[in-house]
Amino acid sequence: MLKIQFKMNVKLISIILISFTILTINSGKWGVTESSEARYAQISKEMVLNNDFIHPKLLDVYHYHKPPVTYWITTLGYKLFGINEFGARFFLQVAIILQLALVYGISLLLFNDKKLSLVAICIYFSLPIVIISSRNLTTDAYLCTFILASIFSWLRFKIKNRTIWIYLFYILLGIAFEIKGPICLVFILTFISLYKIITKEKLVISKHHIIGFLMFLFISAFWYILVAYENPKLLDYFINKQVINRVTSNSFHRGKPFWYYLAMIPLLGAPWIFILFFHYKKKNKKNISSKPKELLLISTACIIILIFSIFKTKLILYILPVFSFLAIASAKILTEASITHLKVYNRILIILITIIPFSILLISFMDIGFNFSKQYAIILLFSTFLVIALIQKTKIKTAYNKTAYLSFLFGIILIMSGNEFLSRNQSQLNSFKDVTIFINNLNDVEKIVVYDYLIPSAAYYTNKNIITLNNGRDTVNRETQFEENFNWQDHLINIQTDIGKNQAQAILSSNAVLVARNKNHSPEDLINLSKVFKNKKSFKNWIIFY
């Protein structure tokens, strides 16, 4: 028994260490991308420089769109590794590792099977949406981590009946609230409600729940109350614009049709979404309901997807926590699969794994606007075949472990390929880094003037004065109602007025460059503004007048 447990611990630690290494290596090799990642990176940078960790600012304008925990975590990365891409993304990789550990723990609590739990984290690591969340700085990876930690703590309390876990549950839930607001409750309440319904367990409220809930209220409301006390207008802003409008309207131009998630989920969870679908399609209602833990996982995922489909505002990473439930359910299927089905799953995974380096090699010989190293593609292809052959030839007592290892390899190949793609195609991916390198090499440039676009990474990569010209674009209309003075008018200029146009002309005539989106270089206002410059240079998405 001790020997088996030792082997399981070695496998778990090995998977965690390999995952962390693969995730972390080269994670700072490409520039922060516009607009979301650059926004979070720059706000965190301004927190460090201003030594103000309560009032988030973006380009010197208060930015209260999100609570501050994501910024705090990023600033810690900056303190450890400097203000750079690696520092910005480091704790994202830590978050993914914690998610793996939590998926393992939740699986173990639900099914009491260490082998199944190991399979679950191999599957979770291979899901494209998980990898995407680790490559791009947003709130979603951190929110998912604290949601899973909350669910783990609640299950631990239910199963082990130790009071400390219910307090930890409420504390973690409060922190999740301070990452992205009340949306975290959708995941937690759906899981707990379905658990109660499926297990037919009565609702019991003890003094520990009451104390814990009060702790949650204190933690979750602390920052909101602090800033709303200073500026009472913020309370209405949080409730109406940042919660209600995001749910009911096309807020921030992120409105998507009802079927958006149904269309995206197969791509984000391949190939396990298809395996899950075909597996449960063959089962009748009676068979599924006879397995309450599987029913809990699948029902939770389906209801959350339905709820988020009803919401107007949609982005793919909003439903990231759902995939932890799907990974555990997939692991359960895999551990019960027949040899015939396992062989089919193995073939599917091998095809998917080999398609990636083959595609990279093919693209490296083609002129389609994306760059890949031929040498890297050849080495990756050779290494992939070598590892597949090693997995296939290795004698493994448990047949489904081969499928799990192939799934884990799929995740590794996705990350390595993604890193290569991101680092060699920064301009195509809306990174402003190459533009700032060019501007930094120009002599006597003190100001970067941006036409009708918000570019946080202009400030992230330079120490120059960033001035934004507002010509009506929605994202340029900043939330200036919370400003304490009118200093913001020096670097956010409305050129829809004659005063603004004259101010812009005066700024551009002295030690400045003008930046515009390539697709926006024809408006009459921009043409008139650019006449002061003799030179221009075009990048993939940007044009520079200097």
Side-chain angles (χ1 to χ4, degrees), residues 128-129 132-133 140 256 260-261 264-265 268 314-321 323:
I129 189 171
I132 291 169
S133 73
D140 301 287
K256 301 289 190 303
Y260 174 76
Y261 288 121
M264 296 300 296
I265 284 171
L268 301 172
K314 298 179 181 73
L315 286 178
I316 57 173
L317 290 177
Y318 286 178
I319 59 169
L320 175 61
F323 288 81

Side-chain angles (χ1 to χ4, degrees), residues 14-16 18-19 22 100 121-123 125-126 349 353 403-413:
S14 299
I15 290 170
I16 294 294
I18 292 169
S19 300
I22 294 295
L100 293 177
I121 65 173
C122 287
I123 291 174
F125 182 78
S126 74
L349 285 165
I353 291 167
T403 313
Y405 295 153
L406 286 170
S407 187
F408 187 65
L409 176 62
F410 179 57
I412 291 173
I413 299 300

Side-chain angles (χ1 to χ4, degrees), residues 27 37 42 50 64 94 109 138 149 156 197 208 229 234 252 287 304 307 326 343 365 400 407 444 462 465 494 530:
S27 63
E37 182 176 46
Q42 177 59 21
N50 298 331
Y64 292 111
V94 175
L109 288 169
T138 63
R156 186 86 178 175
I197 292 168
H208 301 297
Y229 176 77
L234 276 168
F252 302 100
N287 285 335
I304 290 171
I307 292 170
L326 298 178
K343 287 180 179 178
F365 285 98
Y400 56 76
S407 187
D444 300 324
T462 71
N465 186 15
N494 183 6
S530 64

Side-chain angles (χ1 to χ4, degrees), residues 423-435:
S423 62
R424 288 183 173 271
N425 298 276
Q426 297 185 60
S427 297
Q428 291 90 326
L429 299 171
N430 214 23
S431 171
F432 198 70
K433 187 174 183 177
D434 290 345
V435 181

Side-chain angles (χ1 to χ4, degrees), residues 151 186-187 190-191 194 198 261-262 265 273 276 280 293-309 319-329:
I151 290 172
V186 174
F187 300 93
T190 301
F191 181 88
L194 286 173
I198 290 170
Y261 288 121
L262 296 178
I265 284 171
I273 294 298
L276 269 174
Y280 284 108
K293 301 298 173 59
E294 291 179 62
L295 181 62
L296 169 65
L297 294 167
I298 298 300
S299 299
T300 301
C302 290
I303 290 174
I304 290 171
I305 291 167
L306 177 62
I307 292 170
F308 275 83
S309 295
I319 59 169
L320 175 61
V322 164
F323 288 81
S324 61
F325 308 131
L326 298 178
I328 297 170

Side-chain angles (χ1 to χ4, degrees), residues 4-276:
I4 293 172
Q5 190 172 358
F6 175 76
K7 284 184 178 179
M8 297 303 294
N9 289 338
V10 169
K11 286 180 181 178
L12 176 61
I13 293 168
S14 299
I15 290 170
I16 294 294
L17 289 176
I18 292 169
S19 300
F20 183 69
T21 303
I22 294 295
L23 285 165
T24 307
I25 288 177
N26 293 330
S27 63
K29 205 174 177 181
W30 62 93
V32 295
T33 54
E34 296 291 346
S35 60
S36 293
E37 182 176 46
R39 186 168 63 250
Y40 285 102
Q42 177 59 21
I43 291 170
S44 303
K45 176 183 176 181
E46 292 186 39
M47 273 192 171
V48 172
L49 296 180
N50 298 331
N51 199 30
D52 182 353
F53 299 93
I54 301 300
H55 308 93
K57 279 192 168 187
L58 177 62
L59 301 180
D60 286 326
V61 174
Y62 287 122
H63 191 86
Y64 292 111
H65 289 208
K66 294 287 189 301
V69 169
T70 298
Y71 310 134
W72 293 345
I73 296 170
T74 309
T75 59
L76 180 58
Y78 290 159
K79 293 285 187 180
L80 293 173
F81 305 105
I83 298 174
N84 53 53
E85 298 93 339
F86 183 83
R89 298 189 186 113
F90 174 77
F91 282 103
L92 281 178
Q93 320 317 315
V94 175
I96 301 301
I97 295 304
L98 291 174
Q99 287 171 34
L100 293 177
L102 290 164
V103 167
Y104 180 90
I106 292 169
S107 305
L108 198 58
L109 288 169
L110 289 175
F111 296 104
N112 195 28
D113 186 337
K114 290 185 177 180
K115 292 180 179 179
L116 182 150
S117 301
L118 282 172
V119 171
I121 65 173
C122 287
I123 291 174
Y124 186 73
F125 182 78
S126 74
L127 297 175
I129 189 171
V130 176
I131 293 165
I132 291 169
S133 73
S134 74
R135 306 292 88 182
N136 189 43
L137 175 59
T138 63
T139 59
D140 301 287
Y142 297 126
L143 180 66
C144 181
T145 304
F146 280 93
I147 286 171
L148 293 181
S150 300
I151 290 172
F152 173 79
S153 300
W154 187 83
L155 283 173
R156 186 86 178 175
F157 168 73
K158 296 301 299 179
I159 294 168
K160 302 296 182 181
N161 198 28
R162 290 186 61 189
T163 307
I164 184 66
W165 291 102
I166 197 63
Y167 289 118
L168 188 58
F169 163 73
Y170 283 110
I171 291 169
L172 292 166
L173 187 56
I175 297 172
F177 201 99
E178 290 282 18
I179 292 174
K180 207 172 183 178
I183 201 68
C184 65
L185 300 176
V186 174
F187 300 93
I188 305 294
L189 293 178
T190 301
F191 181 88
I192 292 174
S193 299
L194 286 173
Y195 184 96
K196 297 282 187 184
I197 292 168
I198 290 170
T199 60
K200 297 179 181 178
E201 183 182 293
K202 291 182 179 179
L203 181 64
V204 178
I205 299 176
S206 67
K207 64 178 181 181
H208 301 297
H209 286 89
I210 295 170
I211 296 169
F213 183 70
L214 292 174
M215 292 168 65
F216 159 74
L217 287 179
F218 175 78
I219 295 168
S220 62
F222 179 78
W223 176 78
Y224 292 94
I225 292 172
L226 190 64
V227 294
Y229 176 77
E230 295 175 346
N231 193 330
K233 290 189 294 184
L234 276 168
L235 189 59
D236 177 71
Y237 175 76
F238 290 142
I239 295 170
N240 288 308
K241 187 155 187 176
Q242 291 302 327
V243 178
I244 295 174
N245 283 1
R246 284 179 179 268
V247 171
T248 61
S249 66
N250 183 17
S251 180
F252 302 100
H253 298 285
R254 292 175 179 175
K256 301 289 190 303
F258 178 84
W259 47 261
Y260 174 76
Y261 288 121
L262 296 178
M264 296 300 296
I265 284 171
L267 298 174
L268 301 172
W272 294 103
I273 294 298
F274 297 101
I275 293 171
L276 269 174

